[in-house]
Amino acid sequence: MGERKLLGPEIVQATVDKVNIIRAKLKAAQDRQKSYADVCRKDLEFEVGDRLSPRYIGPYEIVERIGPVAYRIDMPEQLSQVHDGFYISMLRKYISDPSHVLKTPEIELRDDLSYEEQPV
């Protein structure tokens, strides 16, 4: 059948060496991915009271800074079911533009506070 040998310390040492090699390769891969991510990262910081526009809707005002990368926003009543905390990557600084302002036509009110509806 063959001889049996007790190889305990040699097997343990070989396993430890392989684990160290795996850790070193994982560390190198993490460092490489971090360097790629850091190139694309933009350090953003907002102040309380700044006007922001969450992606695709807005603008809304910052109420408070929750943490280093999260802000609480003053949301309108229609969006009360949406959580008011947003991660910084979902926010964009609002740049004022006169074309964003919608002009409403003047409505003539009668004495009894009624008005005539006109199609648009």
Side-chain angles (χ1 to χ4, degrees):
M1 292 263 251
E3 294 183 24
R4 290 186 169 189
K5 293 183 180 179
L6 186 59
L7 301 173
E10 293 85 12
I11 292 176
V12 170
Q13 186 59 40
T15 305
V16 168
D17 291 341
K18 289 183 181 182
V19 167
N20 287 336
I21 290 170
I22 292 169
R23 283 186 179 156
K25 289 185 178 186
L26 281 173
K27 175 75 170 130
Q30 287 174 341
D31 291 343
R32 188 171 48 251
Q33 289 179 350
K34 183 181 182 319
S35 68
Y36 292 150
D38 287 346
V39 169
C40 299
R41 181 172 291 130
K42 297 176 189 174
D43 290 332
L44 298 176
E45 190 167 321
F46 301 109
E47 299 291 326
V48 173
D50 279 354
R51 300 219 16 114
L52 296 177
S53 53
R55 193 176 291 170
Y56 309 122
I57 58 172
Y60 301 113
E61 187 174 342
I62 291 179
V63 176
E64 71 174 308
R65 185 175 182 172
I66 299 172
V69 292
Y71 292 89
R72 181 160 287 120
I73 294 176
D74 184 24
M75 302 289 280
E77 214 35 61
Q78 299 90 345
L79 297 174
S80 63
Q81 294 156 343
V82 177
H83 193 273
D84 61 351
F86 287 89
Y87 187 72
I88 197 166
S89 68
M90 306 246 341
L91 304 173
R92 298 288 178 261
K93 183 132 177 111
Y94 177 73
I95 299 171
S96 180
D97 184 3
S99 68
H100 290 172
V101 178
L102 298 176
K103 296 180 180 162
T104 57
E106 293 292 324
I107 299 174
E108 294 183 23
L109 292 177
R110 299 183 186 130
D111 292 336
D112 61 352
L113 297 180
S114 62
Y115 62 95
E116 183 180 333
E117 291 187 30
Q118 297 179 354
V120 178

